[in-house]
Amino acid sequence: MVYDQGVPGVRRLIFGTNPRRTAVRVLVLGAVSVLTFGWILIPVRAEGISMMPTYRSGSLNLVNRLAFVMRPPQRGEIVAIQLAGPHVVYIKRVVGLPGERVSIEEGTVRVNGRPLQEPYVRNRSPWKLDEVTLGPDEYFLVGDNRGMREEEHDFGRAHRSRIIGKVLF
């Protein structure tokens, strides 16, 4: 014998045997998604070639805003920096920490007079930057693509308040 389930069968297929519980699950999942991807993990698109080969232009990355709640950024970490507006974000690598002296000689970053080992840098142009001393809440940030011309690359000091999180991937 064949039963005609009609509309109630479709409702059961969509909402399950307990529509109220399904609605609560959908609301909770929606709230968790909005919280996670609207405040904790922020999607950021890499634009430009300053972080190549680590990140290609156009790649979509997630920034963890909670990464530096319990600890400060560390040397070598890739961070997102808030610039002028809420949607203008740069992705750069931390090379200098608060209180350090940073310079660039012949494309090599020097921290407190010693060359920094940077295996992630593939190409180097002869960049030059006179030594700067970072303040108590300042970090020195630079992209991985040191093969581009110095004047085409944004790098330098950033106050801790401008670092919004750690780039995950």
Side-chain angles (χ1 to χ4, degrees), residues 36-110:
T36 301
F37 294 107
W39 195 82
I40 297 172
L41 296 177
I42 301 170
V44 174
R45 185 170 305 282
E47 294 294 335
I49 61 171
S50 72
M51 281 301 292
M52 284 183 66
T54 309
Y55 294 105
R56 297 196 181 281
S57 183
S59 66
L60 185 63
N61 308 290
L62 291 176
V63 176
N64 180 359
R65 289 183 57 155
L66 299 179
F68 303 129
V69 169
M70 300 300 286
R71 66 169 183 83
Q74 302 296 310
R75 187 182 334 277
E77 289 184 314
I78 299 172
V79 298
I81 309 111
Q82 183 83 40
L83 291 178
H87 301 291
V88 181
V89 176
Y90 277 5
I91 297 174
K92 299 292 178 187
R93 189 176 296 271
V94 175
V95 295
L97 303 175
E100 293 182 332
R101 296 181 333 271
V102 179
S103 64
I104 301 177
E105 297 175 16
E106 293 297 316
T108 299
V109 174
R110 300 179 75 79

